[in-house]
Amino acid sequence: HPDRSLLAVPSQRTQTIRLWDVVANREVATLAHPGGPHSVTFSPDGSRLISATGESVRVWNLLGNGEKRELSAHHGVVNQVKFSPDGQLLATAGADARVRLWATSTWKPVSQFSVSPGVLGKVRRVAFSPDGKRLAAVDWAGAAAVFDIRSPSEPTRVQTLLSHERQEFGQILWDVAFSPDGKQLAVAAQNGVWLWRDEQRVAVVTDKPAIELAFTPDGRTLLWREPDHVHRWNLESSREESPPL
């Protein structure tokens, strides 16, 4: 949640989303979710919750009457849902090898595109730049790319970080993230974590498989998760901090 007071916990097993007040340390609501949710995100103003299950996306209004709507998002599993920083766009990553952008004013799709054109590479993760002008995406064909989305109906590829033809970092790319200042970009893959700065690849952080990653809010540290540990990379010294968590 934007003010960090509310936590949404999806459960495919119980087919619910539990809303937890982290300040009071108590559950405040349980949302029934047929099909079992696996990805959730709050809107930047905290008024809405988006959840993904199967091929569809649900929009929950957390204010007023709790209205919800369902969007038929992809012809395949929706792997992730993500709001733009200003809340005007929603990006969905699909197993049908498509990224879709939705206008949140109408909940209609405004565009769709692929990370690996002509290849069925399941899109695993997407990330908006902090200024909302770019969107990065990674897929399971070994490709990563950045798109200019200042015109959401006509996204333009501005950088191919990794191509599906070479698969230089393996076929499975798990995650992607921008630094808080938007100048750095990290990709997590089956063969490690790589870092770009000002559109140039500058570091191989690790050559071990990484599943998730994130920059700290101050932009000084990159975190990535292996199956059993969380690692920290100091971006100022370009060294891994020890021990792992």
Side-chain angles (χ1 to χ4, degrees), residues 1-6 42-47:
H1 195 272
D3 65 11
R4 302 183 182 180
S5 65
L6 198 63
F42 288 100
S43 61
D45 64 3
S47 66

Side-chain angles (χ1 to χ4, degrees), residues 140-176:
W140 279 9
V146 179
F147 300 84
D148 184 328
I149 57 168
R150 284 176 290 183
S151 177
S153 61
E154 298 179 345
T156 304
R157 182 186 295 258
V158 293
Q159 187 180 13
T160 298
L161 305 172
L162 304 169
S163 67
H164 70 272
E165 291 94 344
R166 296 179 63 183
Q167 293 187 359
E168 54 191 310
F169 298 148
Q171 182 176 357
I172 306 300
L173 305 187
W174 284 104
D175 204 0
V176 61

